[in-house]
């Protein structure tokens, strides 16, 4: 019998790999090491748990541990952490509360995920300062917002976690201040989305402070204020959402190559530079379908899909992990903001393109049909190849799944004109005759001619 | 100066062509003959006008006649009908209330649209029997439903117009019976959609009679009953929505070639077999992107787009009219049903494919996020090429724009696996991690292996 398929990390990538490998190889020994108390959970749901729309943390669990163990016959070891890899001996050193031991492997998947980035400021260890990158953290924040003596809360970082958490805190009647270093929120969504979402947050009563650098979290034991380069704001709690960093140390110490992004470098099958060692999920790089270059965009679908593919590959069916387009959507109160590919000219230029872009407004439904909203769309193309490089959409109605049309176009390397000529769905309750994506391509095509 | 660009028919295709030609050729003489009283109107909005969601017929007009005439300098002749074409003399015989005259042309666009199909039954001329294919008909129906002595209404034909009108009548508190010859409503949407929508109509209190042939509309002056092969149903009014037929007689009598569908045969630039004579919109065939063959799918976007392209072509920039995928979406009370390409195996076999298909259920949002619904998706592929041939989706949440991802895939000839590997947008309020389209492709791909 072959040596075990050993997986370090029991969330999306790890458990997808384990489940797929089990289906493909009913007799293979499959071991998952999970240092925490949760596996296969939807961290993306945590803001809505804090907000109160989701009753219990258990609701976020896709598959409970017992089912992996009993139904799928996966040797899931909770509270067990992989602390070192010996790629020559093909072993992982494992530590649990009870013991430390060597676990041998035939194939190894590193799926250790990412953690919240801690910005280089003092005060992160004060009471009432949180990050949101684990189920337990979600529970602590929920308990905190439900306590009676909380009035003012800081959100440090205007990325998608920051925006979602601003909405969650606001739902509890708290005064929310968002601090963002850059001149816009949701920087990766491009300027037009950032402006629309920033304005909308303010309409909702959120204090949004752009181009503001947080210098220190101040307090005596518990947080009392956020000190910035533009003054001090008293707060009772703070959520730090400054991005994530891959948990790549375990791999790096074992001599496994990291990419420029700091995540583990992988090939099209999720293989690292070391034989029989794979990486997937938030700890790994993926190939970006527009640039063709490695990128680090830690999102749930990517993790799921890559894990699944690796589960197939190690059981005998070589399966590519696929490419990413950086497609994402975020809810910000009544707005939805979506992006895919490259969303502004500066980013396109950096990637070596000669960009041209447009930003337009278009109605989400027929002009005469009630309930629609004005969408704002940006589309970027390369002047030479006329290929679409990316797009963003922001608005109240029909945003999330409209971006998927552009994401599909990116995977296929479609030109602006090819997008303009797509036969998309129309009926007055759902779209104007020319879908806003088509209209954007039409206007952009006019600029290319 | 060149001879005029003459357009017969002033709705979507005609007015798009006129407007585009005007922008491209500021000095060209552009004449539009419109036999009716309305131009550039959204007939697709009529059911919602009857329902009461749209206040006035004027709201359905995209651009009022004065603007075409005054701002765009288009010689729009309302109440003027083209009644004969002499392709040798390059003239159209025009009749108005005042006169009959010959109008010469340099380029001619036939955009005469389609009319409601009249099934071969007696009683269509009774009072209270309507079709919905003009603004005036919409006004008559609206007046009828608002009269006090109407209780029971028949909808003859369970296509999309029939479904939309059933909803409109129901909103006025009328008892609605839908009569459909076939064993399902929305036949072109495939079986799974037909069943879901049929069930939903019944839940809403609509009497749905499938596999029922209407033999006669009975009444003395006004309609009193619908006689079918399965009994007689007393009604106070009837809407006949039995499909449409292209208004191709004008072209046919001039020796312009029709295709097998009965619509005017055209090439990729919308040209007919006669030099300088074009056809577009509901009267013309288009090339189907999946079969590569001519097809007749009279929908608004196609008309708009083809008209626009021809407006460019006749003013010096040859522009293809594009291909169609048969993409459509319809609202049926709380459900939306969408389709693109080929939606069932029988249809695929008829088109020469070796089909394989799946129908699955998938949640529209993360399982733990409130407000989502179970979607039902069908996807059809060709076993040999593994290309996606089409899909349908039905459900309450996030249906309309999800079909566009598949429509895009059809235009690109993507395989099932390529669709499975798309990087689509995910956030709990909008989608599960694996979008239902991806899940469908994944399951279908499993069947292909």
């Amino acid at each position: 019998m072959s040596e075990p398929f050993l997986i370090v990390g029991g969330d999306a990538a790890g458990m997808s790999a384990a489940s797929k490998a089990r289906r493909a190889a009913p007799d293979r020994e499959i071991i998952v090491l999970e240092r925490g108390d949760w596996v296969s959970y939807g961290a993306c749901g945590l803001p809505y748990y804090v907000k109160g729309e989701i009753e219990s943390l258990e609701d976020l669990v896709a598959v409970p541990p017992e089912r992996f163990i009993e139904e799928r016959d996966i040797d899931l070891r909770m509270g067990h952490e992989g602390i070192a890899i010996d790629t020559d001996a093909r072993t992982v050193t494992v530590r649990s509360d009870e013991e430390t031991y060597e676990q041998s492997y035939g194939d190894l998947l590193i799926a250790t995920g990412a953690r919240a980035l801690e910005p280089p400021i003092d005060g992160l260890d004060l009471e009432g300062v949180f990050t949101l990158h684990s189920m337990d953290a979600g529970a602590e924040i929920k308990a905190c917002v439900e306590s009676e003596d909380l009035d003012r809360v800081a959100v440090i970082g205007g990325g998608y976690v920051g925006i979602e958490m601003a909405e969650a805190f606001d739902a509890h009647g708290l005064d929310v201040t968002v601090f963002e270093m850059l001149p816009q929120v949701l920087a990766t969504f491009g300027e037009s989305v950032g402006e629309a979402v920033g304005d909308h947050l303010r309409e909702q009563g959120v204090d949004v402070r752009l181009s503001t650098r947080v210098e220190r979290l101040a307090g005596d034991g518990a947080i009392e204020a956020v000190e910035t380069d533009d003054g001090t704001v008293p707060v009772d709690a703070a959520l730090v959402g400054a991005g994530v960093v891959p948990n790549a140390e375990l791999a790096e110490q074992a001599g496994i190559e990291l990419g420029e992004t700091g995540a583990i470098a992988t090939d099209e099958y999720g293989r690292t530079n070391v034989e029989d060692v794979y990486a997937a999920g938030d700890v790994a790089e993926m190939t970006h379908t527009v640039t063709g270059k490695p990128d680090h965009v830690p999102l749930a679908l990517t993790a799921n899909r890559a894990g699944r593919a690796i589960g197939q590959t190690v059981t005998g069916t070589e399966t590519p992990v696929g490419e990413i387009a950086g497609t994402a959507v975020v809810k910000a109160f009544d707005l939805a903001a979506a992006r895919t590919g490259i969303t502004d000219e500066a980013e396109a230029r950096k990637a070596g393109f000669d960009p041209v872009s447009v930003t337009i407004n278009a109605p989400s439904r027929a002009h005469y049909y009630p309930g629609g909203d004005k969408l704002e769309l940006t589309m970027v193309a390369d002047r030479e190849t006329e290929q679409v490089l990316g797009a963003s959409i922001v608005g109240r109605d029909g945003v999330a799944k409209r971006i998927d049309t552009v994401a599909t176009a990116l995977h296929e390397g479609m030109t602006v004109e090819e997008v303009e000529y797509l036969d998309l769905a129309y009926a007055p309750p759902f779209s104007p005759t020319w879908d806003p994506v088509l209209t954007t391509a039409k206007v952009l095509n006019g600029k290319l001619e």
Side-chain angles (χ1 to χ4, degrees), chain A:
Chain A
M1 204 172 114
S2 57
E3 285 287 304
F5 177 28
L6 179 61
I7 298 164
V8 186
D11 200 4
M15 297 321 293
S16 296
S19 298
K20 190 69 194 174
R22 169 56 66 236
R23 279 194 292 277
D27 299 326
R28 177 93 188 246
E29 189 178 359
I30 301 171
I31 302 166
V32 179
L33 307 174
E34 168 52 47
R35 66 178 174 186
D37 299 327
W38 300 87
V39 293
S40 183
Y41 60 90
C44 314
L46 287 172
Y48 307 101
Y49 167 72
V50 174
K51 188 179 176 187
E53 287 182 318
I54 295 158
E55 201 104 329
S56 101
L57 280 179
E58 276 72 22
D59 292 341
L60 299 183
V61 174
V63 182
E66 312 81 70
R67 269 181 59 196
F68 286 112
I69 295 168
E70 287 154 27
E71 291 176 25
R72 300 189 187 172
D73 189 26
I74 289 163
D75 184 356
L76 170 58
R77 303 178 186 171
M78 316 275 285
H80 285 237
E81 183 174 8
I83 57 168
I85 302 170
D86 183 336
T87 58
D88 293 327
R90 300 168 81 93
T91 56
V92 171
T93 307
V94 184
R95 186 170 58 197
S96 74
D97 280 353
E98 288 81 38
E99 52 175 342
T100 298
Y101 59 94
E102 302 295 312
Q103 175 62 55
S104 66
Y105 66 79
D107 296 289
L108 174 66
L109 170 58
I110 302 172
T112 43
R115 62 181 178 275
L117 171 70
E118 303 208 331
I121 54 173
D122 283 344
L124 292 178
D125 53 348
L126 290 170
E127 198 186 312
V129 179
F130 303 97
T131 62
L132 185 76
H133 217 74
S134 74
M135 294 285 265
D136 297 333
E140 282 173 42
I141 298 169
K142 182 76 181 280
C144 176
V145 297
E146 285 173 346
S147 72
E148 302 246 316
D149 44 356
L150 197 68
D151 289 322
R152 299 155 306 177
V153 59
V155 172
I156 297 167
Y160 63 88
V161 168
I163 300 297
E164 289 169 345
M165 289 303 293
E167 180 182 335
F169 290 132
D170 180 84
H172 289 274
L174 302 173
D175 283 338
V176 182
T177 305
V178 174
F179 299 90
E180 170 58 53
M181 260 184 352
L182 299 172
Q184 67 159 92
V185 296
L186 291 176
T188 61
F189 286 65
E191 201 177 308
S192 59
V193 170
E195 200 173 313
V197 172
D199 289 350
H200 183 62
L201 290 173
R202 289 187 174 118
E203 277 166 31
Q204 299 289 330
V206 175
D207 182 5
V208 180
R209 305 196 174 199
L210 303 175
S211 305
T212 301
R213 180 180 294 274
V214 172
E215 294 178 333
R216 201 168 84 95
L217 306 184
D220 183 12
I223 185 169
E224 288 162 22
V226 176
E227 296 179 7
T228 79
D229 58 1
D230 190 35
T232 296
V233 179
V235 298
D236 307 312
L239 184 280
V240 180
V244 298
V245 279
N247 292 321
E249 292 79 1
L250 175 68
E252 191 177 20
Q253 284 157 15
I256 292 163
E257 202 180 298
L258 308 191
E260 276 180 34
T261 66
I264 301 173
T266 56
D267 73 3
E268 64 175 313
Y269 295 98
R271 293 185 289 229
T272 69
N273 66 316
V274 175
E275 206 185 359
D276 299 329
V277 179
Y278 299 77
D282 291 2
V283 75
E285 289 185 337
M286 294 278 286
T287 301
H288 196 292
T289 197
V290 175
T291 63
K293 293 183 186 138
D295 207 342
H296 182 234
V297 185
L299 289 173
L301 173 63
T302 308
N304 254 282
R305 177 139 56 195
R308 192 170 173 276
I310 291 165
Q312 291 207 149
T313 297
V314 300
T315 50
T317 311
E318 285 212 332
T319 306
V321 294
E323 297 188 333
I324 56 167
T327 313
V329 59
V330 59
K331 179 176 182 298
F333 291 89
D334 302 335
L335 285 185
R339 71 167 321 285
T340 190
I342 293 174
T343 57
D344 65 36
E345 295 196 10
E347 195 189 345
R349 229 170 268 118
K350 222 187 303 174
F353 297 103
D354 178 13
V356 51
S357 71
V358 292
T359 297
I360 70 157
N361 288 304
S364 64
R365 307 182 182 190
H367 69 274
Y368 50 77
Y369 195 88
D373 186 38
K374 195 182 65 178
L375 304 181
E376 185 163 278
L377 302 95
T378 296
M379 191 177 283
V380 186
D382 180 53
R383 203 177 290 274
E384 195 191 318
T385 62
E386 302 197 351
Q387 274 188 17
V388 179
L389 301 177
S392 66
I393 311 178
V394 62
R396 285 163 203 257
D397 183 50
V399 168
K401 292 289 119 183
R402 270 196 170 96
I403 203 72
D404 287 351
T405 301
V406 184
T408 306
L410 296 185
H411 279 278
E412 292 293 296
M414 290 173 75
T415 65
V416 177
E417 187 166 274
E418 284 167 344
V419 172
E420 180 187 340
Y421 275 80
L422 290 171
D423 185 9
L424 302 184
Y426 160 58
F430 306 112
S431 176
T433 309
W434 290 81
D435 186 272
V437 170
L438 301 177
T439 304
T440 311
K442 190 164 67 172
V443 176
L444 183 53
N445 201 22
K447 252 182 122 170
L448 280 167
E449 276 158 7

